[in-house]
Amino acid sequence: MSDIIQLLPDHVANQIAAGEVVQRPASVVKELLENAIDAGATNIKLLLKDAGKTLIQVIDNGKGMSATDARMSFERHATSKIQKAEDLFNLCTKGFRGEALASIAAIAHVELKTKQKDEELGTCIKIEGSKVVAQEFISTSEGTSLAVKNLFYNIPARRNFLKSDTVETRHIIDEFQRVALAHANITFLLHHNNNEVYHLKGSNLRKRIVAVFGSKMNEKLVPIDETTDILKIEGFVAKPEFSKRKRGEQFFFVNDRFIKSSYLNHAVVNAFDGLLEHGAHPSYFLYLTVPTSSIDINIHPTKTEIKFDNEKALYAMLRATVKHSLGQYNVAPVLDFNRDSNLDTPYSFKSNGKAASVPKISVDPDFNPFKEEKQGEINFPYKREKNTQSWESLYTSVETVDKTPQENLFEHQEEAKAQKTFQIQRKYVLSSIKSGVVLINQSLAHQRVLYEQFLESITVKEANSQQLLFPVKIAFSSAEIEMIYTIKTELENAGFSFDEFTKDSVTIKGIPISVTESKITIILEELLNDIDLEVPNASFSHFDVMAKSFAKTLSIKTGTLLSEKEQEGLVNDLFSCKEPTISPFGKATFKTLTLHEIDNLFNS
Ligand code: ADP
Ligand code: MG
């Protein structure tokens, strides 16, 4: 039998390797930024088009490459960073595998321009799918520019697998932030579709964190600083009252490399012992410096996991250090300026002269059709007029009930009139129906009502907007602004209208009618959180996430006292919904208890 084994051609091997190195545009960003840092750059620019799908370009002022090195850099296992196996145990560079450029060049159109300090001319190389299509001498500035165009152009399956621009941009910004936070002394610039997203001037760590996450961050930070024989810990943790519902702002860096470690995270969370509300996650930016020989970063291809020699000692030290700093900085209670005071106000109270939006009432509780009929017989002109009004209101009520798929829940309108609702423990609304009673969870029910209202107004594209008398300017981090910008159209459909976008603020001049002015910040912050949390979800739809997020944020909460009118309004609105039985998050909104079931309670 003939031999069948053969070596794969280079470009095929490279494409396979690329599968491991490059999952998405953000992976390219990470590799290119790290190469720039390894080249000693002090100024790094990242330019993106269409969430990196069309262009990712990194321009640095590092040491550049010779013509030969420029050509060599695209070969697989070509690296200047290690020479022998032992070097692996003493890594102080970001890269070492020599795979990134070869992999990227296998699946994109790549253009490299590079020049070393003392050279007159630099080199330009163009590669498409591992093939060098041009190489020439050019005049260019010192350092390296690497442009990656049309990522996955030759692997349609991978290209189709990419998520929406919002999601891919989020991933890129995550990588960018990690690198920028690890190198506070380097100046970074990020442009997306010609908009400046970040311009971070080289500075110190605290300033860098504030520049990345917005000025609100400054007051939250508690410094950490500890040096021992085996470890140096520096950085900041956020005060416990600023902990988050999501894990967003948790950063460990080991020897300037971002890493993930659930073990070390545990140590930090443990140090917050008793200071965090249930389900809250502390924010932290912790920089560990350990001897290079005591870690192994080679265990994970994308290098965000790491193995330590003396994990237990590290854990104990980290926990003790964080605990100590928290103790020092948390003796005095700190005013939480970030908190929306409106959140603490009972729902039915008015704030800023504006009533909080309550479930709308479509039934006139004073209306009695029988009374009106009698009055109709008298036939006075002004009585007639009143009569018409009553008929109109009867019509409104009937129409509301007409729309419900549950219409036979109520026997008929007269009985609905007579029925009373009761609120139980400021949490449930009890309402009698023909066959027994329904017990409605007020918060979940209101979520359903708002969700359907928002979904309708967003998708129908008929914005129900109210103009603000005075536009409000809200501060956000640049990353958040970028996110808001990418979902601007959807937000406009929902009823928002925007005035000016700057790098760290947005001015809002109109809001959906169901939103009160005091809630704008919280509703947008929650929305960004929710979009973040949705990132891994393939069935990502902004409309749906937005409607869900708004519904959750604006719904009446457990603990809110509802007037009888509000209770009735809620019941009516709920049963006018297309899907009244479940909340937008899949929980039951009400339970029924039939007369039979109630009877049984007493027969046992
Ligand atoms: P690695 O970073 O693991 O060495 P890469 O494929 O990322 O592998 O890069 C290959 C080589 O190309 C690097 O070792 C370095 O010598 C050179 N190189 C890549 N990017 C740059 C850059 N921006 N400036 C200078 N040299 C670079
Ligand atoms: Mg590299």
Side-chain angles (χ1 to χ4, degrees):
M1 220 191 261
S2 58
D3 300 332
I4 52 172
I5 298 180
Q6 48 182 304
L7 281 174
L8 288 174
D10 265 357
H11 69 277
V12 178
N14 284 340
Q15 253 195 35
I16 294 170
E20 201 185 333
V21 181
V22 184
Q23 278 103 33
R24 50 175 15 122
S27 335
V28 175
V29 167
K30 175 178 193 283
E31 295 296 338
L32 299 190
L33 290 177
E34 291 187 346
N35 279 348
I37 288 167
D38 283 344
T42 56
N43 192 312
I44 300 175
K45 295 188 188 114
L46 169 61
L47 313 180
L48 304 168
K49 286 220 168 79
D50 306 322
K53 293 171 185 171
T54 309
L55 172 75
I56 300 163
Q57 183 172 16
V58 170
I59 304 168
D60 69 53
N61 64 350
K63 65 181 180 208
M65 285 178 263
S66 69
T68 320
D69 281 355
R71 183 63 195 81
M72 268 296 279
S73 69
F74 291 101
E75 295 295 329
R76 208 140 61 94
H77 307 307
T79 180
S80 56
K81 299 171 193 176
I82 57 171
Q83 266 125 42
K84 47 191 189 304
E86 293 87 83
D87 293 347
L88 272 175
F89 302 101
N90 241 328
L91 281 170
C92 25
T93 52
K94 309 265 163 197
F96 54 86
R97 296 167 163 256
E99 287 183 322
L101 292 190
S103 301
I104 294 166
I107 50 168
H109 296 156
V110 172
E111 185 180 292
L112 167 74
K113 289 179 183 169
T114 188
K115 188 176 92 67
Q116 289 178 308
K117 196 172 171 202
D118 306 322
E119 299 295 325
E120 188 121 320
L121 285 178
T123 309
C124 174
I125 296 180
K126 290 182 189 163
I127 300 188
E128 293 178 2
S130 295
K131 279 200 193 66
V132 179
V133 293
Q135 171 158 6
E136 55 193 0
F137 287 105
I138 50 158
S139 67
T140 178
S141 47
E142 197 180 313
T144 302
S145 154
L146 206 114
V148 177
K149 295 175 191 163
N150 311 319
L151 188 67
F152 297 133
Y153 79 99
N154 51 358
I155 318 181
R158 294 296 294 276
R159 200 168 166 88
N160 295 337
F161 186 70
L162 292 178
K163 300 277 168 61
S164 69
D165 281 9
T166 319
V167 174
E168 294 301 342
T169 306
R170 183 69 246 174
H171 281 291
I172 290 177
I173 287 181
D174 282 348
E175 290 297 351
F176 178 85
Q177 287 182 343
R178 291 166 183 177
V179 175
L181 288 170
H183 300 276
N185 55 332
I186 297 179
T187 295
F188 287 94
L189 199 79
L190 167 56
H191 281 202
H192 187 201
N193 293 335
N194 297 324
N195 291 322
E196 184 179 290
V197 181
Y198 277 115
H199 187 169
L200 307 170
K201 300 221 168 64
S203 62
N204 63 29
L205 188 51
R206 183 175 197 122
K207 284 193 183 140
R208 175 56 50 93
I209 294 172
V210 171
V212 170
F213 291 104
S215 50
K216 283 184 284 183
M217 186 54 87
N218 199 21
E219 56 162 329
K220 303 182 185 176
L221 299 176
V222 176
I224 306 280
D225 195 355
E226 177 75 60
T227 309
T228 71
D229 288 349
I230 58 159
L231 160 81
K232 187 162 128 188
I233 308 174
E234 293 164 287
F236 298 90
V237 295
K239 293 168 190 163
E241 60 268 34
F242 295 109
S243 58
K244 298 232 158 188
R245 282 196 308 107
K246 56 158 188 162
R247 288 173 180 274
E249 291 156 6
Q250 301 188 327
F251 295 87
F252 278 120
F253 299 91
V254 173
N255 298 354
D256 294 337
R257 185 192 291 276
F258 171 83
I259 61 139
K260 288 180 186 154
S261 165
S262 49
Y263 187 69
L264 295 184
N265 175 64
H266 194 269
V268 178
V269 172
N270 215 301
F272 274 83
D273 184 33
L275 295 170
L276 296 173
E277 278 177 36
H278 180 71
H281 301 284
S283 300
Y284 54 80
F285 311 89
L286 293 169
Y287 296 73
L288 280 54
T289 313
V290 296
T292 44
S293 56
S294 75
I295 49 172
D296 181 1
I297 35 190
N298 204 9
I299 59 166
H300 196 273
T302 48
K303 296 168 281 175
T304 49
E305 278 161 28
I306 201 167
K307 221 167 111 49
F308 297 96
D309 275 356
N310 35 17
E311 254 183 358
K312 287 215 174 92
L314 248 145
Y315 183 101
M317 229 164 315
L318 186 59
R319 181 173 173 275
T321 306
V322 173
K323 213 177 170 75
H324 176 74
S325 300
L326 281 174
Q328 279 194 319
Y329 281 85
N330 264 297
V331 273
V334 192
L335 275 182
D336 184 348
F337 295 108
N338 213 23
R339 205 180 159 84
D340 184 343
S341 59
N342 199 48
L343 287 177
D344 304 325
T345 317
Y347 185 71
S348 48
F349 281 26
K350 292 181 174 202
S351 71
N352 303 345
K354 270 195 175 186
S357 62
V358 292
K360 69 173 191 299
I361 300 142
S362 35
V363 175
D364 171 8
D366 300 328
F367 169 58
N368 178 340
F370 304 108
K371 202 166 105 208
E372 295 303 327
E373 260 166 33
K374 279 204 195 102
Q375 284 166 345
E377 282 165 16
I378 303 171
N379 232 350
F380 287 138
Y382 66 89
K383 289 286 180 195
R384 171 64 73 195
E385 196 183 303
K386 188 155 190 280
N387 206 5
T388 323
Q389 274 177 7
S390 302
W391 275 109
E392 274 168 4
S393 87
L394 177 64
Y395 179 72
T396 327
S397 336
V398 170
E399 185 187 56
T400 314
V401 173
D402 260 348
K403 278 193 270 172
T404 92
Q406 311 275 312
E407 57 192 342
N408 43 10
L409 206 53
F410 299 100
E411 190 178 25
H412 42 70
Q413 196 57 29
E414 283 90 324
E415 180 157 319
K417 284 286 129 281
Q419 107 201 5
K420 280 248 178 276
T421 55
F422 300 94
Q423 195 183 19
I424 303 169
Q425 302 283 351
R426 299 189 174 192
K427 187 170 184 188
Y428 299 102
V429 174
L430 185 78
S431 175
S432 68
I433 52 170
K434 186 189 166 196
S435 60
V437 290
V438 273
L439 197 55
I440 297 166
N441 181 311
Q442 63 186 47
S443 180
L444 297 177
H446 198 212
Q447 279 184 7
R448 162 56 60 183
V449 171
L450 291 176
Y451 171 71
E452 292 199 4
Q453 280 173 6
F454 273 114
L455 209 57
E456 192 180 316
S457 65
I458 297 171
T459 47
V460 166
K461 298 199 172 168
E462 219 174 67
N464 289 321
S465 186
Q466 49 175 331
Q467 292 300 298
L468 296 171
L469 209 50
F470 303 103
V472 277
K473 187 171 176 181
I474 306 178
F476 283 105
S477 71
S478 315
E480 288 168 334
I481 290 292
E482 183 64 16
M483 287 285 284
I484 295 176
Y485 199 77
T486 56
I487 53 170
K488 184 166 169 271
T489 320
E490 284 101 328
L491 283 167
E492 282 167 351
N493 288 343
F496 283 93
S497 68
F498 298 96
D499 207 4
E500 194 196 3
F501 275 87
T502 71
K503 265 192 303 166
D504 51 9
S505 76
V506 57
T507 306
I508 292 174
K509 54 179 190 182
I511 53 178
I513 40 171
S514 39
V515 176
T516 50
E517 197 175 327
S518 56
K519 290 240 161 119
I520 303 176
T521 313
I522 175 116
I523 195 176
L524 288 176
E525 278 181 354
E526 284 294 310
L527 176 65
L528 296 179
N529 271 349
D530 290 335
I531 291 183
D532 253 15
L533 293 173
E534 283 294 319
V535 164
N537 189 347
S539 62
F540 183 86
S541 142
H542 290 324
F543 290 150
D544 197 57
V545 175
M546 206 176 269
K548 275 187 185 154
S549 176
F550 290 172
K552 187 184 61 195
T553 314
L554 296 171
S555 60
I556 49 172
K557 302 290 181 306
T558 296
T560 307
L561 184 66
L562 298 180
S563 72
E564 210 177 304
K565 279 188 174 186
E566 288 165 350
Q567 295 169 30
E568 284 184 32
L570 180 61
V571 175
N572 282 314
D573 284 349
L574 178 64
F575 291 110
S576 308
C577 284
K578 292 200 182 89
E579 258 186 86
T581 54
I582 49 165
S583 82
F585 303 92
K587 292 190 182 147
T589 51
F590 68 88
K591 295 275 181 206
T592 52
L593 203 56
T594 62
L595 203 58
H596 184 65
E597 285 166 328
I598 299 172
D599 285 343
N600 277 344
L601 290 176
F602 294 93
N603 288 338
S604 56

